Amino acid sequence: MTREQYILATQQNSLPRTEHPQFYPVGIYGWRKRCLYFFVLLLLVTMIVNLAMTIWILKVMNFTVDGMGNLRVTKKGIRLEGISEFLLPLYVKEIHSRKDSPLVLQSDRNVTVNARNHMGQLTGQLTVGADAVEAQCKRFEVRGSDGGKVLFSADEDEIVIGADRLKVTGTEGAVFGHSVETPHIRAEPSQDLKLESPTRSLVMEAPRGVQVNAAAGDLKATCRKELHLQSTEGEIFLNADTIRLGNLPMGSFSSSSFSSSSPSSSAPRQTIYELCACPNGKLYLSPAGAGSTCQSSSNICLWS
């Protein structure tokens, strides 16, 4: 024992001892204790309510080990059943429907499908709206059920219709603003085919000829001013049982020459006309007889 320890020990023993020592309680008593118990009880009730709400949410949302609700996580991806709503953008690679049900994309305004390249630039867009369906792309194609034959394609240069037959069912027919190139134009059975240009001319051209055939009906060509039949290297051949040219002007003839040539003036007369042509190509009718005016009556060719 050191000197300092000895002095301290002797001093403590020399101190007077009291008969009633004072004790100080250690702990929480009174209103503090009651507040502590109240907070502990409140925490316990909150935990029980939180656990009950968690169990209720798991049951209502149908949480399982495969997913939640209509959402199922499979090896091939995510499967949604029923109606699903997406409030934020959805990024997927492929969307497939079930084999026994269609795929329906519905929106209150419109449905827009965008395609972008690796730089994020818009390369194609398909918008289905309430008034129209719009497609913005370099080339638009519609293929058959087998995916091989192109039924319709459109780009900046041309529009190609690959169907075997193009059928226009409108009452007004088809209106083309520019030229049309096709090997065959045919009307429906028991229907008339009409090619019309209301305000301009109608031109049909082909390197090896144009064939217009009406197997069971009439062929009619009507124009407002002039109808030209022109053959640059060949001929114009009219082959029919009867060829009629109506509304041709009538030429004049001398009755004296016709009466002198007839053996009897009392014989019945039969009106016979000649078809005469002027040097400019115009045709007219002239009564046939001894005094034919096809060569003599030059004033007939001056009609307009």
Side-chain angles (χ1 to χ4, degrees):
M1 179 180 297
T2 60
R3 182 177 181 183
E4 289 79 9
Q5 294 177 352
Y6 176 79
I7 295 174
L8 292 174
T10 54
Q11 289 180 354
Q12 291 179 357
N13 293 330
S14 61
L15 292 176
R17 295 183 178 179
T18 58
E19 296 181 355
H20 302 283
Q22 297 181 357
F23 297 96
Y24 297 96
V26 178
I28 301 175
Y29 298 95
W31 64 271
R32 293 184 179 86
K33 184 177 182 180
R34 290 191 293 270
C35 290
L36 179 61
Y37 288 163
F38 174 76
F39 285 120
V40 172
L41 181 61
L42 181 61
L43 180 61
L44 180 61
V45 172
T46 304
M47 291 176 60
I48 294 174
V49 173
N50 190 10
L51 180 62
M53 292 294 294
T54 303
I55 296 174
W56 180 76
I57 292 174
L58 292 176
K59 184 178 180 180
V60 171
M61 299 299 295
N62 194 14
F63 276 94
T64 60
V65 294
D66 296 332
M68 56 170 290
N70 297 329
L71 180 64
R72 295 290 184 269
V73 180
T74 62
K75 295 181 180 179
K76 296 181 180 180
I78 298 177
R79 179 178 178 180
L80 285 174
E81 297 180 356
I83 300 176
S84 303
E85 296 182 4
F86 299 93
L87 302 179
L88 296 177
L90 176 64
Y91 299 94
V92 294
K93 183 178 180 181
E94 294 181 0
I95 299 178
H96 297 278
S97 64
R98 295 175 54 182
K99 295 181 179 180
D100 55 349
S101 63
L103 177 63
V104 179
L105 302 178
Q106 185 176 357
S107 175
D108 294 338
R109 294 185 179 179
N110 53 31
V111 178
T112 303
V113 180
N114 295 331
R116 300 180 182 274
N117 55 11
H118 63 281
M119 301 179 61
Q121 298 176 353
L122 184 64
T123 57
Q125 184 180 69
L126 178 63
T127 303
V128 181
D131 298 331
V133 178
E134 297 180 359
Q136 299 180 5
C137 54
K138 293 182 178 179
R139 182 177 177 84
F140 180 77
E141 292 185 356
V142 178
R143 295 182 176 270
S145 58
D146 56 351
K149 185 177 182 180
V150 179
L151 301 179
F152 178 84
S153 65
D155 54 15
E156 295 181 357
D157 298 330
E158 63 179 1
I159 296 177
V160 179
I161 299 176
D164 296 335
R165 182 176 63 178
L166 175 62
K167 183 177 181 180
V168 180
T169 59
T171 56
E172 298 295 332
V175 179
F176 300 95
H178 298 282
S179 60
V180 179
E181 182 178 353
T182 177
H184 190 194
I185 299 177
R186 183 181 62 183
E188 286 292 327
S190 69
Q191 299 292 332
D192 296 335
L193 176 62
K194 185 177 182 180
L195 303 178
E196 182 181 4
S197 179
T199 59
R200 293 294 186 270
S201 59
L202 179 61
V203 180
M204 293 186 293
E205 296 180 355
R208 294 187 178 181
V210 177
Q211 180 179 1
V212 182
N213 184 17
D218 298 334
L219 178 63
K220 184 178 180 181
T222 305
C223 63
R224 182 178 178 84
K225 292 184 178 181
E226 295 180 359
L227 177 62
H228 297 275
L229 298 177
Q230 181 179 1
S231 177
T232 57
E233 297 181 0
E235 62 181 2
I236 298 176
F237 180 68
L238 301 177
N239 184 11
D241 295 338
T242 303
I243 298 177
R244 296 181 180 179
L245 300 175
N247 298 327
L248 292 178
M250 299 293 295
S252 61
F253 71 100
S254 176
S255 59
S256 60
S257 60
F258 180 78
S259 59
S260 61
S261 62
S262 59
S264 176
S265 60
S266 61
R269 298 181 180 181
Q270 184 179 4
T271 305
I272 300 175
Y273 297 94
E274 293 179 336
L275 178 62
C276 302
C278 297
N280 57 1
K282 295 182 180 181
L283 302 178
Y284 68 95
L285 291 178
S286 177
S292 177
T293 59
C294 283
Q295 300 295 334
S296 59
S297 300
S298 61
N299 57 343
I300 302 298
C301 295
L302 301 178
W303 58 272
S304 58

